[in-house]
Amino acid sequence: MKWEENVRRVVPYTPGEQPQKAGIIKLNTNENPYGPAPGVARAIRDLDAESLRLYPAFPEETDLAKALAAYYHIGQDQIFIGVGSDDVLSMIFMTFFQSDKPIFFPDITYSFYDVWADVYRIPYETKALSADFLIRPEDYKQPNGGVVFPNPNAPTGEVMSLAMVEEIVKNNRDVVVVVDEAYIDFGGISALPLIEKYDNLLVVQTFSKSRCMAGMRIGYAMGQPRLIRYLNDVKYSVNSYTMNTAALALGVEAVRDEVYFKECCEKIMKTRERAEKELAGRGFVFPKSCANFIFASHKTVPAREIFEKLKQNDIYVRWWNKARIDNYLRITIGTDEQMEALYRALDKIV
Ligand SMILES: *Cc1c(COP(=O)(O)O)cnc(C)c1O
């Protein structure tokens, strides 16, 4: 077809499966196995359908922005709120990566980065992780159009020290550096304090993992007001009303209940500690994880085989048919009961 010459062609990102069948143990997309804070359910009941008549408020003026600003001790003008961190990151790519020079990110990382680069026609170069899957700050010193990396990294789960993150930010003062902290609440140290010192740093977080609200789609970026203003200019040039009224109201409750949030993260970390022992005892090896998943390889049984057999047992984990990582499984930390079911199933496989 002639019109196809004018199509913006792209190979889309493939998320983990969302099976609609009941009874699946879903350890494949790093969702939190626990429900959101109790106040969220209350806010759903209290939501006035009549309020949906109006367009939503501007996110930066809402109670959600106030709650996040208070929680992180920053100004409301230092927060950009979006439809999950995927939306936030996509806006960041569109806004800040306009250079002719390639942006840098690790070769093994969140597999959405190269998709956004492709869709926005941003040149990029990947930097190989070390043999033990670590990001090496010295690889991010050459001239570039921007830098983005998750900390902890996905899907390896390995965390970088604050000093290492700062080294990357410090060595790249002429471009924007984005730290994707989707998993930071499971034991890592956030780079947030560095935003006061560096006007080129954006820290991105999400409600999808540690705040148990993947289905509500809330994410945010934090940085100096100048960065946030540029982001808002682009966002308001694409779609003014990305955040719906319900999400804005429910998100507040998740931020306010700090006790529930901390308990939830601690439960996951405890279950992870136990999982390390259980998996190691069954012949798995894995890098030290600071996230709500473990990236594990078995000493003798191929990852693909384990992946398929677990699936036959209604246990879903994630496996990529990709160089360097095709003998690894990314296993999300579920409840203790879900993990027990995983160990029982593994006993029949490995
Ligand atoms: C899950 C995840 C995201 C996106 O999460 P949202 O649900 O869009 O907030 C971003 N980056 C990494 C590394 C992730 O694992």
Side-chain angles (χ1 to χ4, degrees):
M1 246 69 72
K2 181 82 178 144
W3 53 261
E4 282 183 303
E5 288 168 17
N6 303 327
V7 169
R8 181 182 290 263
R9 293 195 200 198
V10 66
V11 181
Y13 170 77
T14 332
E17 286 175 77
Q18 292 296 111
Q20 294 307 305
K21 190 171 128 192
I24 302 277
I25 295 184
K26 215 177 155 297
L27 307 176
N28 67 333
T29 51
N30 297 344
E31 288 142 329
N32 202 304
Y34 304 107
V40 174
R42 234 173 6 249
I44 292 174
R45 286 194 298 274
D46 292 348
L47 193 70
D48 177 12
E50 188 69 16
S51 71
L52 301 181
R53 192 175 60 76
L54 300 174
Y55 279 111
F58 300 121
E60 59 274 23
E61 293 168 6
T62 56
D63 286 347
L64 179 56
K66 280 189 200 126
L68 286 170
Y71 184 81
Y72 292 108
H73 307 289
I74 57 177
Q76 256 167 269
D77 58 354
Q78 293 183 285
I79 304 175
F80 173 86
I81 301 174
V83 189
S85 52
D86 284 342
D87 175 49
V88 174
L89 287 161
S90 151
M91 287 290 143
I92 288 172
F93 272 60
M94 207 194 307
T95 308
F96 297 109
F97 296 159
Q98 289 289 301
S99 167
D100 296 332
K101 294 193 192 109
I103 61 165
F104 290 172
F105 49 83
D107 64 337
I108 299 167
T109 195
Y110 189 36
S111 47
F112 223 139
Y113 298 154
D114 56 349
V115 176
W116 286 314
D118 284 339
V119 75
Y120 295 132
R121 308 292 187 254
I122 298 162
Y124 66 89
E125 219 175 279
T126 59
K127 300 287 168 186
L129 297 185
S130 69
D132 45 0
F133 289 156
L134 291 168
I135 293 175
R136 293 173 295 207
E138 63 269 27
D139 292 343
Y140 296 79
K141 277 182 167 169
Q142 303 99 320
N144 62 66
V147 177
V148 56
F149 58 92
N151 193 44
N153 194 12
T156 66
E158 291 202 77
V159 78
M160 266 199 280
S161 69
L162 191 56
M164 284 165 87
V165 172
E166 182 164 9
E167 194 184 332
I168 296 180
V169 180
K170 204 158 55 184
N171 287 334
N172 288 283
R173 294 308 305 269
D174 294 338
V175 297
V176 171
V177 176
V178 183
V179 187
D180 178 356
E181 295 189 337
Y183 303 104
I184 200 70
D185 299 318
F186 301 110
I189 306 258
S190 174
L192 184 63
L194 299 181
I195 67 169
E196 294 307 326
K197 204 161 148 195
Y198 297 100
D199 60 8
N200 62 319
L201 171 65
L202 278 169
V203 174
V204 178
Q205 296 189 2
T206 175
F207 280 50
S208 298
K209 280 61 183 244
S210 56
R211 294 192 186 272
C212 322
M213 287 179 84
M216 210 60 232
R217 314 303 304 129
I218 307 172
Y220 49 104
M222 299 176 283
Q224 290 195 8
R226 199 182 183 86
L227 288 166
I228 302 301
R229 275 199 303 275
Y230 279 122
L231 255 181
N232 270 318
D233 285 348
V234 169
K235 173 263 178 74
Y236 283 106
S237 308
V238 176
N239 179 355
S240 307
Y241 301 108
T242 51
M243 297 300 295
N244 69 70
T245 301
L248 288 166
L250 304 190
V252 181
E253 299 303 325
V255 182
R256 281 190 187 147
D257 199 338
E258 204 177 328
V259 173
Y260 182 87
F261 167 67
K262 295 224 156 112
E263 266 173 19
C264 233
C265 294
E266 266 155 34
K267 274 197 283 191
I268 300 279
M269 288 188 276
K270 223 166 150 190
T271 307
R272 181 181 69 203
E273 215 171 284
R274 171 91 192 280
E276 286 168 354
K277 292 195 188 90
E278 297 285 347
L279 291 174
R282 286 169 176 81
F284 284 92
V285 288
F286 40 84
K288 173 87 196 134
S289 169
C290 240
N292 67 338
F293 55 83
I294 292 179
F295 195 53
S297 183
H298 195 268
K299 285 176 189 159
T300 53
V301 188
R304 182 181 196 153
E305 186 182 325
I306 304 172
F307 167 74
E308 278 161 5
K309 288 192 174 155
L310 283 175
K311 201 165 177 178
Q312 286 159 15
N313 283 276
D314 284 344
I315 299 176
Y316 284 46
V317 298
R318 195 86 191 266
W319 171 76
W320 287 272
N321 193 5
K322 229 168 159 173
R324 276 188 94 185
I325 60 167
D326 59 0
N327 203 24
Y328 281 82
L329 298 171
R330 191 195 65 190
I331 305 166
T332 304
I333 303 298
T335 61
D336 287 323
E337 293 70 32
Q338 289 176 321
M339 299 307 281
E340 291 298 334
L342 170 75
Y343 309 141
R344 284 196 300 275
L346 284 174
D347 283 335
K348 292 187 281 176
I349 301 170
V350 300

